Amino acid sequence: MTTRISNAPLAGLALVAGLFAADMARAEFTLNVLHTNDFHARFEPINKYDATCSAEEDAEGQCFGGSARLVTAVRQARAKAAHSILLDAGDQFQGSLFYTYYKGRAAAEFMTLLGYQAMTVGNHEFDDGPETLRAFIDRLDFPVLMANADLTRSPDLSGVVRRSTVLEVGGEKIGIIGLTPQDNAELSSPGPTITFLDPVPVVKAELAKLQASGVNKIIVLSHSGYEVDRKIAQAVPDVDVIVGGHSHTLLGNMAGAKGPYPTMIGKTAIVQAFAYSKYLGDLEVTFDDAGTVLSAKGQPILLDASVPEDGAAKARIAELAKPLDEIRNKVVAQAHGAIDGAREICRFEECPMGDLLADAMLARVRDQGVDIALTNGGGLRASLPAGDVTMGDVLTVLPFQNTLSTFETQGAVILAALENGASQMEEGAGRFAQVAGLTYRVTPGAAVGARISDVMVSQNGAWVPLDPQARYGVVTNNYLRAGGDGYAMFQTGAENAYDYGPDLADVLAEYMTARTPVTPYTDSRITVVK
């Protein structure tokens, strides 16, 4: 006799297990965080030097980014994702003639077209003061965030810029907290009515408010730099994702990347997508029902020639460019080779673009008794191409409309300035000093106050040691003279100052015109002890 065993209990268990698995699957939520940072008015495609791509380079498929290509990339990424959001981590302003001419109007138009859902305030959003930032915000249909700023005394921004916002996506609530650099007062022109705060306690407080309101998925949109973002993640482990900017950091598995994409600090995923619209960040995050990150993966999408430009967007950019063409197409000089102004060099050591600009500044005012030129590496925003150099190329390198500033000061102030320039080299800060009429040695790892040595000044055709007690004529730019990038000593230690000289771009263009063709050079005026 054969005994038959019923499969009914097993079938019931299988059904229960299936329902349980289905419930678990429903409890998971996957979100694609699309993101950009440090766009810097690069509406047109860029070349490998981060400057405007020429027609010849375009024909050879050597162009990257640009708003028309970004429109296509965002549309394609959204089509692939079940749920997605598009965020910007600041510095839409400044960097090309489009900003010089249109200020924030063009940025607002294209951010609206692209369908951004939130952005944070970068330091360059303050370059023309809170009034210009407010005019930009008034044109947007999405929230602008900045939690670590006290705006109560700012009539333009109080009640307009939010600390955080909540986006509803696929039935889920996503909390977004915005951050701007704590040292904004040194980096830009926010004016005296805005106070900037330490991001860590601000994030803790804002996160607690969001959690108390039932939001369990938290993204910090941070224009603070990669290293600061890592510190925030360590200090506030309940943050799920940090979308970064400011340091122009490339993350991923490609050449030149500074770390993985995402960089995981505990359970916090940190991402950033270089700059200038060359990449579109795309982070896929899966949360459980409690808001815990189960997985975070992705890769910045390179917007090279394989990504087609959207036709309507390209036509609109061409229309906006018409008033700019006469200015930027004027050839001012020729160059025997590209003149390197990359931030990866000019913020860490002597670079060809730094030498050329500092020499141009000193040459312009040497007959006024000026001995030394000093400018910040962060003021150099691109390289110059080989061959014809146009005014547009020069303005891409020097977009800030800074003017020459001259003054007299003691040698001790110069030493303090060089020390300040070396004070944040490990972070890639823009304050690193490019110089002319001066040579110096910098040891980044030395103690504070001992990083600068062997400072020599050119006087009467000879190199002599800098005398801390002697008086010297100095030329810099008006941004540093006003204390920007930590150069407070130029604000307090200057005598007979004049801050309204010619525009740096005009000074450089005229210097190159008088010496065309120009050959790139460095001459060991700065020695960095590795």
Side-chain angles (χ1 to χ4, degrees):
M1 179 177 176
T2 303
T3 302
R4 305 181 69 87
I5 301 175
S6 171
N7 288 327
L10 294 177
L13 288 172
L15 176 61
V16 171
L19 291 172
F20 180 74
D23 286 341
M24 288 296 290
R26 281 196 295 271
E28 292 183 4
F29 173 71
T30 297
L31 177 70
N32 280 68
V33 181
L34 309 177
H35 60 98
T36 56
N37 58 276
D38 301 279
F39 181 76
H40 287 300
R42 297 303 207 274
F43 298 96
E44 296 175 313
I46 60 172
N47 60 20
K48 63 182 179 180
Y49 301 111
D50 303 328
T52 303
C53 207
S54 68
E56 293 78 15
E57 289 168 324
D58 191 17
E60 295 171 359
Q62 297 180 13
C63 295
F64 304 89
S67 293
R69 197 167 271 122
L70 187 58
V71 167
T72 299
V74 169
R75 183 171 59 238
Q76 292 175 344
R78 281 177 170 147
K80 295 177 182 177
H83 305 291
S84 67
I85 57 175
L86 178 61
L87 307 174
D88 184 78
D91 273 7
Q92 281 282 325
F93 283 16
Q94 204 64 266
S96 78
L97 277 176
F98 280 88
Y99 180 75
T100 304
Y101 190 86
Y102 292 106
K103 298 305 177 185
R105 298 193 300 277
E109 178 178 339
F110 275 93
M111 292 191 83
T112 301
L113 172 67
L114 282 156
Y116 280 90
Q117 288 154 280
M119 74 170 287
T120 196
V121 178
N123 52 293
H124 285 291
E125 267 72 72
F126 284 111
D127 279 354
D128 287 285
E131 301 87 352
T132 299
L133 174 56
R134 171 61 185 270
F136 167 68
I137 294 172
D138 286 345
R139 293 174 178 269
L140 302 177
D141 59 0
F142 58 85
V144 174
L145 311 175
M146 183 170 58
N148 63 320
D150 181 351
L151 302 176
T152 54
R153 295 186 300 121
S154 173
D156 294 293
L157 301 181
S158 179
V160 176
V161 176
R162 307 183 197 177
R163 296 168 65 87
S164 63
T165 193
V166 177
L167 304 179
E168 292 200 15
V169 184
E172 300 288 333
K173 293 181 178 181
I174 315 297
I176 315 288
I177 302 169
L179 294 176
T180 199
Q182 187 180 356
D183 56 349
N184 242 338
E186 297 179 0
L187 297 174
S188 193
S189 302
T193 65
I194 301 174
T195 303
F196 298 96
L197 310 170
D198 183 343
V200 170
V202 167
V203 171
K204 286 181 178 178
E206 202 65 21
L207 183 146
K209 292 178 184 178
L210 290 168
Q211 290 177 330
S213 67
V215 179
N216 63 8
K217 301 170 184 66
I218 307 294
I219 297 174
V220 171
L221 193 51
S222 170
H223 194 83
S224 306
Y226 184 53
E227 292 304 322
V228 174
D229 290 343
R230 291 169 63 92
K231 293 175 183 177
I232 293 169
Q234 290 170 341
V236 197
D238 283 350
V239 171
D240 298 307
V241 176
I242 299 178
V243 175
H246 190 47
S247 54
H248 296 209
T249 303
L250 178 62
L251 300 176
N253 59 10
M254 69 289 287
K258 303 297 184 184
Y261 182 104
T263 296
M264 299 301 300
I265 302 294
K267 293 184 178 181
T268 303
I270 300 174
V271 293
Q272 199 174 143
F274 184 56
Y276 310 128
S277 75
K278 189 172 183 177
Y279 293 87
L280 171 65
D282 186 1
L283 177 70
E284 181 184 284
V285 189
T286 299
F287 300 90
D288 68 12
D289 196 44
T292 302
V293 174
L294 300 176
S295 68
K297 59 184 179 180
Q299 182 78 353
I301 301 166
L302 177 63
L303 305 190
D304 60 9
S306 67
V307 180
E309 295 179 274
D310 177 80
K314 185 175 182 178
R316 176 57 177 154
I317 293 164
E319 182 181 0
L320 291 170
K322 287 179 181 177
L324 316 180
D325 287 343
E326 183 177 351
I327 302 170
R328 65 182 177 184
N329 290 337
K330 179 183 177 182
V331 175
V332 297
Q334 283 75 40
H336 286 323
I339 301 172
D340 198 343
R343 64 185 283 131
E344 293 80 7
I345 300 175
C346 297
R347 294 176 179 228
F348 298 92
E349 60 188 74
E350 178 185 1
C351 69
M353 195 70 250
D355 281 6
L356 181 63
L357 175 61
D359 285 347
M361 293 166 65
L362 185 57
R364 183 62 176 256
V365 294
R366 189 183 282 279
D367 62 356
Q368 300 175 24
V370 173
D371 308 291
I372 296 164
L374 187 153
T375 193
N376 52 321
L380 305 172
R381 308 307 286 190
S383 303
L384 288 174
D388 287 347
V389 176
T390 66
M391 192 63 196
D393 295 324
V394 174
L395 286 164
T396 300
V397 175
L398 299 167
F400 301 125
Q401 297 178 294
N402 290 134
T403 57
L404 284 190
S405 291
T406 55
F407 59 94
E408 296 176 1
T409 195
Q410 287 187 312
V413 173
I414 303 300
L415 287 172
L418 296 174
E419 179 73 25
N420 174 69
S423 65
Q424 296 182 11
M425 289 176 64
E426 68 282 357
E427 300 171 20
R431 60 186 60 190
F432 184 78
Q434 301 288 336
V435 297
L438 187 76
T439 65
Y440 71 97
R441 183 182 184 91
V442 55
T443 306
V448 175
R451 288 175 285 211
I452 302 301
S453 60
D454 302 324
V455 184
M456 306 289 285
V457 182
S458 178
Q459 291 188 320
N460 301 318
W463 289 99
V464 298
L466 181 83
D467 182 352
Q469 304 304 317
R471 293 175 61 82
Y472 298 93
V474 179
V475 60
T476 186
N477 60 66
N478 64 314
Y479 170 65
L480 297 193
R481 235 288 294 159
D485 265 348
Y487 284 89
M489 67 291 298
F490 283 171
Q491 189 176 34
T492 59
E495 297 180 22
N496 301 319
Y498 182 74
D499 298 326
Y500 309 106
D503 189 291
L504 256 62
D506 291 331
V507 170
L508 179 60
E510 291 169 12
Y511 184 82
M512 294 183 69
T513 298
R515 291 160 178 79
T516 192
V518 177
T519 299
Y521 62 91
T522 55
D523 53 18
S524 301
R525 62 186 69 178
I526 304 172
T527 301
V528 179
V529 180
K530 302 293 187 179

